[in-house]
Amino acid sequence: MLVIPPVLLVIILYLHNFYYLEYFHVVAGSMWTGMDLVMGIFFSYVMKGLNNIERARLSTRITPTMLFFMPAISSVTITAGIELVIFLKFSFSSLYIIIALIIAFILLIQGIGIFLPNELRVYSEILHGGKNVEKIVRLTMFNLRLSLSQVILQIAIIFIMAGLATGVFN
């Protein structure tokens, strides 16, 4: 889960094929947004009905996936998006590109500065026997709520990308 997305992106960039790059960007972005939707809505709802022991058990199951998959898929999505801007020769001084880059930067900072450290803390706690249930639950619930803000930002970028792709924002 950590290696496949970046390897695919490198191959696509080497081939310098617009359609592969665009397809990869859309699929990777859909996976990223889909995971945030599932985590932010579905798992938040499920977790509300569980006690802390059950929440910690569920966190133990989802943390490895989140820890390895999410950084890989989010970073390749952003990289592929920037490569598409270059490929399509959009101006980086365009207001819409600047807004999309700012949103992508916020998503990246949230991912690297909040999600990843929290997932690492949970994973470390799990590796050490998972005895601090409150810590596991607190960090997992925080990340699940933060997933909802990520979805809102991702929808904003999708709106901008659709406007650029259809010519509405040109």
Side-chain angles (χ1 to χ4, degrees):
M1 284 188 277
L2 179 65
V3 176
I4 293 172
V7 167
L8 283 175
L9 181 59
V10 168
I11 291 168
I12 290 167
L13 291 175
Y14 175 77
L15 294 173
H16 198 68
N17 183 298
F18 170 76
Y19 296 105
Y20 293 160
L21 181 61
E22 183 177 40
Y23 183 80
F24 179 82
H25 176 65
V26 169
V27 170
S30 298
M31 292 169 73
W32 181 16
T33 303
M35 283 296 290
D36 278 332
L37 278 169
V38 167
M39 299 309 292
I41 295 172
F42 177 72
F43 275 106
S44 291
Y45 178 76
V46 168
M47 292 284 240
K48 285 180 186 178
L50 303 176
N51 64 43
N52 277 355
I53 298 296
E54 292 166 329
R55 287 178 180 176
R57 191 174 300 132
L58 184 56
S59 296
T60 301
R61 299 291 302 237
I62 64 174
T63 296
T65 300
M66 298 303 292
L67 179 61
F68 297 111
F69 179 71
M70 292 303 283
I73 204 68
S74 60
S75 61
V76 297
T77 300
I78 292 171
T79 304
I82 292 169
E83 289 295 325
L84 281 171
V85 168
I86 294 167
F87 203 104
L88 292 169
K89 297 181 176 40
F90 281 123
S91 172
F92 279 95
S93 62
S94 161
L95 176 62
Y96 299 107
I97 298 297
I98 291 170
I99 293 169
L101 288 170
I102 289 170
I103 294 170
F105 183 72
I106 292 168
L107 289 166
L108 184 66
I109 294 302
Q110 283 182 335
I112 292 172
I114 301 170
F115 274 107
L116 187 58
N118 283 349
E119 291 296 327
L120 285 169
R121 288 182 194 108
V122 171
Y123 194 64
S124 174
E125 184 60 38
I126 291 166
L127 291 177
H128 291 97
K131 293 179 177 92
N132 192 343
V133 171
E134 285 74 27
K135 179 180 180 180
I136 292 170
V137 170
R138 180 178 40 83
L139 292 171
T140 300
M141 294 304 289
F142 183 85
N143 276 1
L144 292 177
R145 286 189 292 276
L146 192 57
S147 291
L148 287 176
S149 75
Q150 291 252 310
V151 168
I152 293 166
L153 293 171
Q154 290 163 350
I155 290 170
I157 281 186
I158 292 167
F159 177 77
I160 291 168
M161 288 185 301
L164 290 169
T166 59
V168 172
F169 293 153
N170 290 339

